Amino acid sequence: MEPFTSHTGTAVALRRSDVDTDQIIPSDWLKQVARTGFGRGLFSEWREDPAFVLNRPEHVGASILLAGENFGTGSSREHAVWALTDYGFKAVISAQFADIFRGNSLKGGLLPVQLPSDVVGRLMALVEADPTAAVTVDLAAREVRSGDIVAPFELDNFTRWRLMEGLDDIGLTLRHQDDIAAYEDRRPSWKPVTARH
């Protein structure tokens, strides 16, 4: 997982509420066994419409998604986060996230930023008026900045530290690799051990 300290990029406004994980990545994309390549399936049913916001040339390369309320509802599929990150999104800003989606995002390196709905609306209006407008999501300062908008957001200290260090659950465990190896070395040889690579 890549460390996330601060990210500045362009944003795209998805003016839809209650977007569920099946809309983010339809179930026919879940047959893949690799964790990459899901970006092609992101909102794939909606992207069949040439007028869909992600199909517009002015939003090519956008790395911040501004979403309607209650983003990420439905099933707990991690593939939704993989699709968003594989497409190139670093952060999703919304007034409300489904709890499981938010948890999957934080574990997968996608920063879900919850802001008041009026602030999200102002950001959407700003990027719709000027698609080249830079939006900064500053995890170190815990704030979003764009134009005259400066909006603080909350995130607990441990999760903030983990994202800034680029540590997923496996990365957190591997920080104790020497202790794990020392423990395994002390175990009697007839007991099972973890594989070492």
Side-chain angles (χ1 to χ4, degrees), residues 162-197:
R162 193 170 51 75
L163 287 169
M164 291 177 71
E165 293 293 319
L167 295 170
D168 59 11
D169 289 346
I170 294 171
L172 283 171
T173 301
L174 290 177
R175 293 179 73 239
H176 303 286
Q177 192 169 1
D178 292 342
D179 293 335
I180 294 167
Y183 173 80
E184 291 291 349
D185 287 340
R186 290 192 307 269
R187 288 174 56 86
S189 60
W190 55 270
K191 289 188 173 182
V193 295
T194 57
R196 293 187 191 159
H197 299 283

Side-chain angles (χ1 to χ4, degrees), residues 3 6 60 63 139:
S6 182
V60 171
S63 55
L139 182 55

Side-chain angles (χ1 to χ4, degrees), residues 15-66:
R15 287 190 177 269
R16 300 185 188 205
S17 298
D18 302 309
V19 173
D20 67 38
T21 54
D22 192 53
Q23 292 164 323
I24 296 170
I25 184 77
S27 60
D28 55 331
W29 283 86
L30 307 186
K31 298 170 187 165
Q32 292 181 200
V33 293
R35 193 174 165 170
T36 58
F38 287 101
R40 294 188 323 273
L42 179 68
F43 303 123
S44 62
E45 292 180 4
W46 294 343
R47 283 165 69 188
E48 292 175 6
D49 176 1
F52 180 61
V53 68
L54 288 188
N55 292 333
R56 296 179 191 161
E58 65 267 26
H59 294 304
V60 171
S63 55
I64 299 166
L65 179 64
L66 304 172

